[in-house]
Amino acid sequence: MVMVTALRILRVKRDLTIKELSQKVGVNTTWYCRMERGQSYIPPHLRQKLADFFGVQISEICDPKTGWPILIDNQCRSS
């Protein structure tokens, strides 16, 4: 089973690398990578900034209270 975050899906849809997105948003590349992989929460000062960048509500990228990224089940199942 492969789990990805909404952040990753949104970034890939924009055809951006992690480095490119990090530069555009103004966040450390390693830190962003950890958030995108669901290994770190999104700090309060970045939640609205990322939501605005992607044109979505905060609740679409993370839990508004805790900041933990929204996980998407992207599992491919064979019949």
Side-chain angles (χ1 to χ4, degrees):
M1 178 164 65
V2 177
M3 297 294 282
V4 297
T5 62
L7 282 176
R8 180 173 181 165
I9 291 170
L10 290 166
R11 177 183 59 79
V12 169
K13 282 183 179 179
R14 292 247 178 143
D15 197 29
L16 294 169
T17 65
I18 289 175
K19 184 176 181 179
E20 290 168 336
L21 185 131
S22 298
Q23 290 172 341
K24 289 179 182 290
V25 175
V27 64
N28 177 280
T29 303
T30 302
W31 191 10
Y32 181 81
C33 185
R34 290 183 54 77
M35 290 185 289
E36 185 177 289
R37 290 180 180 192
Q39 298 170 336
S40 179
Y41 76 100
I42 302 170
H45 71 280
L46 285 180
R47 293 174 197 168
Q48 190 63 58
K49 192 173 191 175
L50 286 167
D52 289 346
F53 179 81
F54 288 120
V56 298
Q57 298 294 313
I58 291 174
S59 61
E60 293 180 58
I61 59 171
C62 69
D63 180 292
K65 292 181 183 178
T66 65
W68 282 100
I70 301 296
L71 295 176
I72 309 293
D73 184 354
N74 198 30
Q75 179 179 13
C76 296
R77 299 170 194 243
S78 47
S79 303

